[in-house]
Every structure is written in C-alpha cells, then in structure tokens.
Amino acid sequence: MTRYERTKDLQAPPELKKVHPLGKSPVITDDDHTIAETGAIVEYILAKHGDGRLMPPKGSEDYWQARHFLHYAEGSAMPPLFLMLVLQMIPDRAPFFAKPILKTAMEKVDEMLVKPQMALHLDHWERSIEKTGWFAGPEISVADIMMSFPVEAAATRFGYEYHPRLRDFLQRIHTRPAYRQGLKRGGPYAYA
Ligand SMILES: N[C@@H](CCC(=O)N[C@@H](CS)C(=O)NCC(=O)O)C(=O)O
C-alpha cells in the first residue's frame, strides 16, 4: 500500500498521475489491472475475493438496493457534500477585501442548493436503514461500505441529532475490526 499526501492546495500529488491519468485517490493496481473510482474498485475486490460475501442474493430486492447505493454513494450523495466544501473554500482563499461579500454570497448558495439537497439525502439514508440498521438487507453489504464515506462526510457538517440511526450506523462501522485494521494500515484521516 502506498499513501499519497495531498498538496497544500488539497490536490492529489503529481506522482498519482503516474499510477492513473486522473491522478485521483483511491486507485488500486493488482496484477495487470489499474482501477480508479471507488465503486469500480469495490466491485473488483468483490469479484475477486468476495466469495458471495457483502452482496445480497442476486436478483433479490436487497440486491438491487445494494446496487443502487453502490452507484449512488459517489454519483449522487458526494456531489453536494463536495460543493459544500468548495463553497467554504472560496471566501477562505479570496483576497481579504473580497472575503465578506464572497462569504455572504456562498452562504446564500449553500442555503439554496446544498442544504435542501442534503435534507433529502439524509432522510433517504435514515429511512433506508430503518429496518435493519444496514443499507441493503439484514447484514452489512457493499452498500454500507460505499455509504460509510458520505455518511461520515455529512456528519462533520450536520451531525446526527435528528438522524439517530445514521449516528448508530457510523458507530457500528467505526468499531468493525476490518475498519480499524484499515485505519491502522492507511493511517488516520479527517474528511475536512
Ligand atoms: N468519484 C471518485 C472521486 C475521486 C476523488 O475525487 N478523490 C479525491 C480524494 S477523496 C482526490 O483524489 N482529490 C484530489 C484531487 O482531485 O486532486 C471516486 O469515488 O474514486
């Protein structure tokens, strides 16, 4: 495993472009395959090592729910969270005289775009784990692995006072031996 540190502008370092032209993280190289994009990486690992684990029975309702979250996590849940970060960064990085006006403008955009979108997403997540505590079926699946990142990222901004199941979900993810082992190997990280 190689750990790449972000540059001071929070960008991926140029060395990552030698691994994959997009130069984004995560990326894996295994045998002759180099694969970028979290969902594709997770699918690759499952196909190679899953032995039927972490995926509900094919064709079942839970299976399609798992596939929904496999795509949704990075395709729909992360974009408003990323936009939220960008809106915060704009005034932070502006010349001092422009900061106050930009801060006001970005807060307006946040109110108009990010907050209502995130309210929809958070309710969707909370309802989805209502029955079992997991995103697709009675036990942990690929859906939970993919969703753990947006749920974690959203926690930094919104907390889970009104979404207690999400708070419990995150707690369960964090205490899993596999998660702890991942942190040990990859090192601690903070979303923002
Ligand atoms: N949708 C992509 C997102 C990849 C991505 O944007 N990764 C971020 C880290 S979370 C990154 O490498 N940012 C640094 C950069 O874009 O230079 C995935 O799921 O892999």
Side-chain angles (χ1 to χ4, degrees), residues 6 10-13 16 22-26 36-39 41 74 146 149:
R6 290 177 192 270
L10 301 180
Q11 297 295 294
L16 254 182
L22 286 177
K24 303 253 179 227
S25 184
E37 198 63 44
T38 315
I41 293 170
E74 284 292 320
M146 288 301 294
F149 189 58

Side-chain angles (χ1 to χ4, degrees), residues 67-89:
R67 297 215 78 92
H68 161 70
F69 282 112
L70 179 56
H71 292 274
Y72 162 90
E74 284 292 320
S76 295
M78 281 311 291
L81 288 162
F82 182 65
L83 176 59
M84 181 181 98
L85 271 190
V86 173
L87 294 177
Q88 283 166 1
M89 278 165 71

Side-chain angles (χ1 to χ4, degrees), residues 20 27 45 61 67 69 72 74-75 89 95 99 102 106 129-131 135 139-140 146 159 161 163 167-168 185:
H20 186 279
V27 60
I45 294 171
E61 190 53 37
R67 297 215 78 92
F69 282 112
Y72 162 90
E74 284 292 320
M89 278 165 71
K99 277 182 198 286
L102 280 174
M106 295 309 127
I129 62 174
E130 197 170 41
K131 277 201 200 131
F135 276 92
E139 53 195 50
I140 188 165
M146 288 301 294
E161 195 186 340
H163 299 89
R167 191 187 50 222
D168 295 349
R185 292 191 66 182

Side-chain angles (χ1 to χ4, degrees), residues 114 121 175 185:
V114 177
H121 287 289
T175 49
R185 292 191 66 182

Side-chain angles (χ1 to χ4, degrees), residues 24-54:
K24 303 253 179 227
S25 184
V27 60
I28 61 166
T29 302
D30 183 49
D31 296 332
D32 293 338
H33 310 292
T34 292
I35 302 169
E37 198 63 44
T38 315
I41 293 170
V42 165
E43 286 201 288
Y44 178 85
I45 294 171
L46 270 193
K48 208 162 164 190
H49 304 287
D51 285 330
R53 287 170 298 179
L54 293 175

Side-chain angles (χ1 to χ4, degrees), residues 70-141:
L70 179 56
H71 292 274
Y72 162 90
E74 284 292 320
S76 295
M78 281 311 291
L81 288 162
F82 182 65
L83 176 59
M84 181 181 98
L85 271 190
V86 173
L87 294 177
Q88 283 166 1
M89 278 165 71
I90 291 172
D92 284 353
R93 281 148 193 256
F96 75 95
F97 55 84
K99 277 182 198 286
I101 181 97
L102 280 174
K103 189 163 187 298
T104 308
M106 295 309 127
E107 281 169 2
K108 264 246 144 17
V109 179
D110 186 74
E111 286 290 330
M112 277 167 50
L113 276 178
V114 177
K115 270 198 180 158
Q117 277 301 310
M118 281 314 298
L120 273 181
H121 287 289
L122 291 175
D123 286 344
H124 174 47
W125 306 351
E126 180 80 2
R127 267 199 307 274
S128 299
I129 62 174
E130 197 170 41
K131 277 201 200 131
T132 67
W134 299 112
F135 276 92
E139 53 195 50
I140 188 165
S141 75

